[in-house]
Amino acid sequence: MDKPLLEVEHLTIVFEHAIEKVTAVNNVSFSIPRGKTLGLVGESGSGKSMTAFGILRLLPSGGRITAGTVRFNGSDLMTLTESEMQELRGANISLIFQEPIIALNPTMQVGAQIAEALTVHRKTSGTETQARVVELLEAVQIPNAIDRVKDYPHQLSGGMRQRIMIAIALACRPLLLIADEPTTALDMTIQAEVLDLLRELRATYNLSLLLITHDFGVIAEMADYVAVMHQGQIVEQGPVRQILRQPLHAYTRSLLEAVPGHSWT
């Protein structure tokens, strides 16, 4: 594997409640080389999204990292202050949420939401921001971009809202993009368009991509490497073609068998 941009080693995340303690992520290790895609695949509740939130140190209430290190571009994220993490989130590591209709602010025009990502990280001056917003909308293939900046999220289709989320994530030209189930709520045609867009943007911007999904069909199309997650642990990982052709773990085989109409030989 090429030199990693992101290295996660022995990451463990625990949730403590009044009655019990639950280990959501257990001793997880993987790395992502520069310019490559790692697919993190598993069923709902397997710990995929929680792993992403742990990397960004954005755990829900009650959750804490009890072990492990996360190194990004040479820095140990576990040692950074919250202020330093705020500078990093969005600027160097961006997250595309699973549900854009929830993540987007319904009371703000989409252009203003993209502009906010730029101004928070001081990536453009006031005079440059509007031009950059239009440029980003065009990059994610929003038609009539200059007119769409004034639209509100409810005026856009699900696929268009997901493109807005991608534009916000790309605003500061991050090195790593984390896409959490980016096509789950979309129909098959729009899913394919969004995946094609992510593939093109990865090549254009030389992005590294952590692609979180339950669908091995998406992994087969998009990923260079795959890590299979089950009950908070990674049970198998390696180059995607190797795992597709010769899965060693029974859970991996069950995920592959769940993809209709595919032959992995």
Side-chain angles (χ1 to χ4, degrees):
M1 195 180 279
D2 299 328
K3 184 177 179 181
L5 174 68
L6 178 75
E7 296 175 274
V8 177
E9 295 184 346
H10 309 297
L11 182 66
T12 299
I13 298 171
V14 169
F15 282 80
E16 295 189 56
H17 305 286
I19 302 174
E20 62 179 344
K21 182 167 72 172
V22 176
T23 301
V25 175
N26 188 5
N27 197 33
V28 161
S29 299
F30 59 83
S31 62
I32 307 177
R34 294 175 185 274
K36 301 294 184 181
T37 297
L38 172 77
L40 188 59
V41 63
E43 63 193 334
S44 296
S46 61
K48 307 184 305 295
S49 295
M50 209 52 62
T51 298
F53 293 141
I55 291 168
L56 290 165
R57 287 174 41 191
L58 287 174
L59 293 173
S61 176
R64 63 187 181 94
I65 296 170
T66 59
T69 60
V70 178
R71 296 192 65 82
F72 172 75
N73 203 26
S75 296
D76 183 353
L77 301 190
M78 298 298 104
T79 67
L80 299 186
T81 65
E82 178 56 26
S83 177
E84 289 170 331
M85 283 299 299
Q86 288 175 5
E87 286 291 320
L88 182 138
R89 297 184 199 115
N92 293 307
I93 305 177
S94 286
L95 175 64
I96 302 171
F97 290 95
Q98 186 173 150
E99 296 286 353
I101 194 61
I102 296 172
L104 291 170
N105 186 333
T107 67
M108 284 180 68
Q109 295 172 340
V110 294
Q113 297 189 56
I114 299 170
E116 186 176 55
L118 291 163
T119 54
V120 162
H121 293 284
R122 301 181 295 278
K123 292 293 182 180
T124 59
S125 67
T127 55
E128 297 170 329
T129 299
Q130 195 61 38
R132 177 71 176 141
V133 168
V134 173
E135 179 186 324
L136 284 161
L137 289 175
E138 290 172 344
V140 298
Q141 299 171 13
I142 298 284
N144 304 315
I146 199 162
D147 298 319
R148 291 292 190 177
V149 295
K150 295 182 180 179
D151 284 352
Y152 290 88
H154 73 271
Q155 295 176 283
L156 303 173
S157 67
M160 295 277 269
R161 286 192 292 265
Q162 191 59 280
R163 290 170 189 266
I164 297 297
M165 289 297 303
I166 295 170
I168 293 170
L170 288 176
C172 297
R173 295 182 175 161
L175 297 172
L176 174 65
L177 194 59
I178 300 175
D180 187 5
E181 298 275 9
T183 61
T184 294
L186 307 176
D187 65 44
M188 293 299 292
T189 301
I190 305 301
Q191 279 187 35
E193 290 178 1
V194 169
L195 291 176
D196 284 343
L197 175 62
L198 284 173
R199 191 183 295 110
E200 291 172 18
L201 293 170
R202 189 192 82 169
T204 300
Y205 293 97
N206 194 32
L207 292 166
S208 296
L209 179 63
L210 174 58
L211 178 61
I212 296 170
T213 180
H214 64 278
D215 187 346
F216 238 119
V218 171
I219 296 295
E221 285 186 49
M222 294 288 296
D224 302 294
Y225 304 96
V226 60
V228 181
M229 201 161 185
H230 181 50
Q231 296 182 345
Q233 296 180 300
I234 289 180
V235 296
E236 185 167 6
Q237 63 180 305
V240 68
R241 296 301 160 199
Q242 173 187 315
I243 301 295
L244 290 175
R245 291 170 182 162
Q246 196 174 11
L248 300 178
H249 198 278
Y251 180 69
T252 307
R253 292 194 292 272
S254 72
L255 289 177
L256 290 169
E257 288 164 4
V259 181
H262 282 82
S263 173
W264 309 109
T265 56

